[in-house]
Amino acid sequence: MKQLLLPTDFSDNAWNALFTAIKLYAHFECTFHLLHTYEPKAQNISGFKSSARAGQVYQSMAEQSKEELAKILAYVNTNYSNKKHHFQTNSVSGGLVETIKKIIPKYDIDTIVMGTKGATGAKEIFLGSNTVKVLKAVKNCMILVVPKSYDFKSLTSVVFPTEYTHFFPKNILQPVLQLMAHWKSEIKIFHVAQEFKLSDVQLSNKQILKKRFEDHPYGFYKVSIKKTVSKAIRDFSKEQKADLIVLTNYKHTFFEQLTQEPIVKKVSFKSDIPLLVLPDFEG
């Protein structure tokens, strides 16, 4: 059974991420762990006159958190009848990233599913760019980033940008292969670069990718960088009518040397297509 973690701030974006996960994994046995973290603003904590007042504030936030999670649970139980899906709620006082790091081993999480943007004025909870915080801090778990307006229909076309400089172990690509097998997806592996002469290592890694995807429809493509790598990824994905972009959360040395841009961060926030970020298998 797959274990999916869905952090939520109760925004429309978080709801859309949940709906996307439910549809994407409709035919998989899954437990959806709904997570809400809460903590008062730092300035409020420093302004507390007594520990009793601090306790009242935390109690109020805890009650609100549990109530909102209960509403989500009631909605999915009423509106979805998929016997393969199970839902659990987690209301936690503390930081989002720190909590996620603890929950991953506790529930043996396979995938974290997040929207690209938190709610405006999110009740002192989702502050800053939380998806980027999670992408930067959590390297040992697959992360699905869902754009706020994305309406998932099918997983027909998957785009996989690579520079062929990294060897992909079998287990890293297994979750992607499972999704492709169910949805009968085609994967489009493309090399985005300024020149396309491959070294022996790159040629070897390209052959490995052929082997990894040999049981699925696949094709190799080349895309020249015109402005930035992230723009090349987005443009190619739109041209191919992609339903998903797959990246790996290792240090993109090759990409960053070419363009000095953090690929995962830029693609996740400017793409209209969901982004599946594989774990950093190189440590």
Side-chain angles (χ1 to χ4, degrees), residues 77-140:
N77 286 334
T78 301
N79 293 279
Y80 294 92
S81 57
N82 191 335
K83 293 181 180 180
K84 293 179 180 288
H85 289 177
H86 312 277
F87 296 86
Q88 295 185 1
T89 60
N90 297 268
S91 176
V92 180
S93 171
L96 176 66
V97 170
E98 295 76 12
T99 302
I100 286 175
K101 285 184 174 182
K102 292 177 183 177
I103 283 182
I104 289 172
K106 181 178 180 180
Y107 295 116
D108 197 16
I109 298 298
D110 296 288
T111 306
I112 301 166
V113 184
M114 298 186 70
T116 52
K117 189 177 181 181
T120 303
K123 302 172 187 174
E124 304 160 357
I125 298 152
F126 266 42
L127 304 176
S129 198
N130 285 285
T131 302
V132 165
K133 287 180 183 177
V134 174
L135 286 171
K136 289 174 69 175
V138 178
K139 304 288 188 178
N140 63 339

Side-chain angles (χ1 to χ4, degrees), residues 52-71:
R53 173 57 181 154
Q56 290 172 359
V57 170
Y58 272 104
Q59 181 64 26
S60 175
M61 296 181 80
E63 290 174 358
Q64 181 183 22
S65 174
K66 291 175 181 177
E67 287 174 6
E68 294 297 326
L69 284 171
K71 290 178 184 178

